[in-house]
Amino acid sequence: MHNAKGYLTCFCSKDLSDVGILLIFVAQKQLKKITMNYQDFELKEYASANERQWSVSEAFPVLMRKVYLWMTMALSITGFTAYGVATSPGILQTIYANPAVMWGIIIAELILVVTVSGAINRLSLSVATLLFIVYSVLNGALLSSVFLVYTASSVATVFFITAGTFAAMALIGYTTKTDLSSMGKILLMALIGMIIATIVNLFVKSTGLELIISYIGVLVFVGLTAYDSQKIKQMLLQAPDASEGAQKVALLGALSLYLDFINLFLYLLRIFGRRD
């Protein structure tokens, strides 16, 4: 483990972590641009006899369960991968000692998210799910540094804080009668501002600016969790059945909530995490 921490220090893990977070920002912006627009999905009015297994009332809870099952699956894969990489000095050295490998992971993640969100109508459900799993693995490898930079107890504590906060905001977004669309637009503008500030801070390396970005990031992703939860509910309520097309919408919803959770966790970790 000490050797692994040495690799992390030598190869500027903090800067690489910032790049990883910036990647997730870009992915989040891509999702808001492409997937959270009703017209981007081909929810067919009529499905085949085999696909039309449930009525609209029966299909909705099935699709919502799939959203959270897929999200939980992806978070579990990312967590186990991150821990596995963090406890494997050889893998850590391969990733952090080779810029080509690191940038390869970053580029691959971006390509995967853009492919899943932009080409969802041309992909089968099984292929889209597989790409989501691959993305979760790559993201876990990229974020393995949290187990080395922060103490295990603080990582666990922040995870449970994140889980509780996420669950509360997702419930609010799901149950509220208030239209959160206007709030979503404001949050997206704030997200763009954070992307710019993060890029600037990669060069100026200001601790004060990093802390400000972290607090704003928590607020933004707390809001986006509620916004996305409401948006996903509205989209799935339009699904005529639980056909493959509707399940692909649910998969994209899971990817969006997954990114909200990861970002919220990382920002809370920056604020409350204790370093070794």
Side-chain angles (χ1 to χ4, degrees):
M1 179 65 74
H2 289 298
N3 289 336
K5 289 180 181 178
Y7 300 146
L8 195 62
T9 301
C10 292
F11 302 113
C12 304
S13 66
K14 184 176 180 301
D15 292 340
L16 293 174
S17 177
D18 286 338
V19 173
I21 295 170
L22 176 59
L23 169 67
I24 299 175
F25 284 156
V26 174
Q28 187 71 280
K29 183 173 181 291
Q30 180 72 7
L31 281 174
K32 298 301 175 294
K33 180 180 178 182
I34 299 176
T35 69
M36 306 315 281
N37 186 316
Y38 300 158
Q39 280 71 41
D40 286 332
F41 299 109
E42 295 178 354
L43 293 179
K44 297 181 180 179
E45 183 177 358
Y46 300 102
S48 66
N50 291 331
E51 289 179 318
R52 201 172 185 83
Q53 300 175 30
W54 299 278
S55 66
V56 173
S57 60
E58 293 172 329
F60 176 69
V62 171
L63 293 171
M64 287 302 302
R65 281 198 298 271
K66 284 183 176 291
V67 169
Y68 288 101
L69 284 174
W70 274 320
M71 186 199 75
T72 302
M73 172 200 71
L75 288 173
S76 300
I77 292 172
T78 296
F80 283 119
T81 301
Y83 183 78
V85 171
T87 54
S88 303
I91 300 177
L92 271 178
Q93 185 178 25
T94 299
I95 294 174
Y96 287 98
N98 297 280
V101 174
M102 173 57 64
W103 282 104
I105 293 175
I106 292 172
I107 294 171
E109 281 192 312
L110 183 57
I111 291 174
L112 283 171
V113 170
V114 172
T115 299
V116 172
S117 59
I120 189 65
N121 287 323
R122 297 190 296 274
L123 298 174
S124 67
L125 178 62
S126 58
V127 171
T129 304
L130 178 60
L131 293 178
F132 189 13
I133 292 173
V134 172
Y135 176 81
S136 303
V137 172
L138 293 177
N139 208 30
L142 192 66
L143 300 177
S144 59
S145 61
V146 300
F147 288 103
L148 302 177
V149 174
Y150 301 97
T151 63
S153 61
S154 68
V155 171
T157 299
V158 172
F159 174 82
F160 287 115
I161 292 174
T162 304
T165 304
F166 180 91
M169 297 311 298
L171 180 61
I172 290 173
Y174 183 86
T175 58
T176 184
K177 302 299 183 181
T178 303
D179 185 1
L180 301 179
S181 298
S182 58
M183 184 184 76
K185 294 177 182 178
I186 295 173
L187 292 172
L188 291 181
M189 289 188 289
L191 187 64
I192 295 172
M194 289 172 61
I195 294 173
I196 296 172
T198 300
I199 293 174
V200 171
N201 205 39
L202 287 174
F203 299 98
V204 302
K205 302 185 186 301
S206 169
T207 303
L209 180 57
E210 179 184 345
L211 188 60
I212 292 172
I213 293 173
S214 297
Y215 278 106
I216 295 175
V218 169
L219 295 176
V220 167
F221 285 102
V222 162
L224 281 175
T225 298
Y227 169 72
D228 285 344
S229 180
Q230 182 181 81
K231 206 76 165 180
I232 292 165
K233 175 184 176 180
Q234 292 172 345
M235 284 191 295
L236 295 182
L237 280 172
Q238 297 183 41
D241 50 38
S243 62
E244 180 170 306
Q247 291 184 59
K248 287 192 287 187
V249 175
L251 180 66
L252 288 172
L255 177 56
S256 184
L257 291 177
Y258 165 87
L259 291 172
D260 290 338
F261 189 101
I262 291 292
N263 277 281
L264 182 59
F265 169 73
L266 288 172
Y267 279 119
L268 286 171
L269 192 61
R270 285 186 168 189
I271 297 171
F272 299 110
R274 295 193 305 273
R275 296 178 182 269
D276 283 341

